[in-house]
Amino acid sequence: MIYLVRHGQTAFNAEGRLQGHVDSPLTELGRAQAAQAGAALKRLTGGGEGWRIISSPLGRARDTAEAIRAALGTPDLEIDARLIELSWGDWDGGLRADLKARHPEAFGETGWAFTAPIGEAYDAAQARLRDWLSTLPPEPERRIIAVSHGVAGRLLRGVYAGLSKPETLAQQVPQDACFRLSGGAIERLDY
């Protein structure tokens, strides 16, 4: 089983900026969301014993994962670069509204660009997340809490459940819920 958590709200989220590999700190709301995630996961995992917490290396995900680790009393936090957010390349840190106005063709129907200059392509991001999944223990021995990002989380859920690209991109990316991935199914769990 995997509990997949998106990091809490950041300053860039609140400003409407694409973050990609650029980092911004959790807001007060983001810190509260991270604490709520920790409390929810403590309840869902029965206290967290025997669970691994694996996080993207970016600060916003690590800070969220640390809040979860503290709530569970888990001794270690693992970092795995394959859980990092999609890079928007030259657009990392840019205001979404400005970029969409200048490059409407790049955002398409879903509002997510995979054609940003020097950005990461959909297939490449999907491949690294598929690789991460392939290294995990098989179910039912799998006891993972993964802390990642909006787009990376969408792609990870899509790979896990064998969703098409449109189905993958249509998924929600809440910061006040996590997803339980078990038995090939995806279940949203609100905090």
Side-chain angles (χ1 to χ4, degrees):
M1 179 178 313
I2 300 170
Y3 285 104
L4 177 60
V5 179
R6 181 181 179 198
H7 61 78
Q9 183 194 61
T10 67
F12 276 17
N13 292 146
E15 295 169 7
R17 293 185 181 278
L18 297 177
Q19 291 186 98
H21 290 183
V22 175
D23 227 339
S24 68
L26 295 178
T27 62
E28 185 176 327
L29 173 59
R31 289 188 297 278
Q33 290 167 333
Q36 289 170 340
L41 288 163
K42 183 174 184 175
R43 187 175 59 257
L44 290 165
T45 64
E49 187 174 333
W51 287 80
R52 294 169 55 198
I53 302 174
I54 307 173
S55 176
S56 155
L58 293 173
R60 58 194 185 264
R62 281 194 337 264
D63 290 347
T64 300
E66 279 294 342
I68 294 167
R69 188 199 62 71
L72 271 59
T74 311
D76 296 317
L77 171 63
E78 301 173 42
I79 303 298
D80 195 310
R82 293 172 293 184
L83 294 174
I84 200 166
E85 181 61 298
L86 177 94
S87 170
W88 302 100
D90 292 347
W91 295 356
D92 277 358
L95 284 169
R96 172 183 287 285
D98 290 350
L99 292 165
K100 193 169 185 177
R102 286 192 307 235
H103 308 282
E105 74 291 346
F107 284 79
E109 293 179 20
T110 66
W112 294 104
F114 289 95
T115 58
I118 316 174
E120 187 174 17
Y122 178 91
D123 292 340
Q126 188 182 49
R128 71 174 155 81
L129 291 161
R130 181 177 289 112
D131 182 61
W132 180 76
L133 276 172
S134 75
T135 64
L136 299 180
E139 293 183 293
E141 294 85 25
R142 184 181 298 166
R143 295 168 56 112
I144 305 290
I145 297 168
V147 183
S148 190
H149 305 273
V151 178
R154 274 183 176 160
L155 297 177
L156 180 59
R157 286 180 277 145
V159 168
Y160 178 81
L163 302 178
S164 68
K165 185 174 181 178
E167 291 170 325
T168 295
L169 297 178
Q171 296 179 97
Q172 296 177 332
V173 290
Q175 291 172 305
D176 59 353
C178 67
F179 294 91
R180 181 172 26 220
L181 285 59
S182 181
I186 302 168
E187 179 184 5
R188 178 181 168 146
L189 305 165
D190 294 321
Y191 305 143

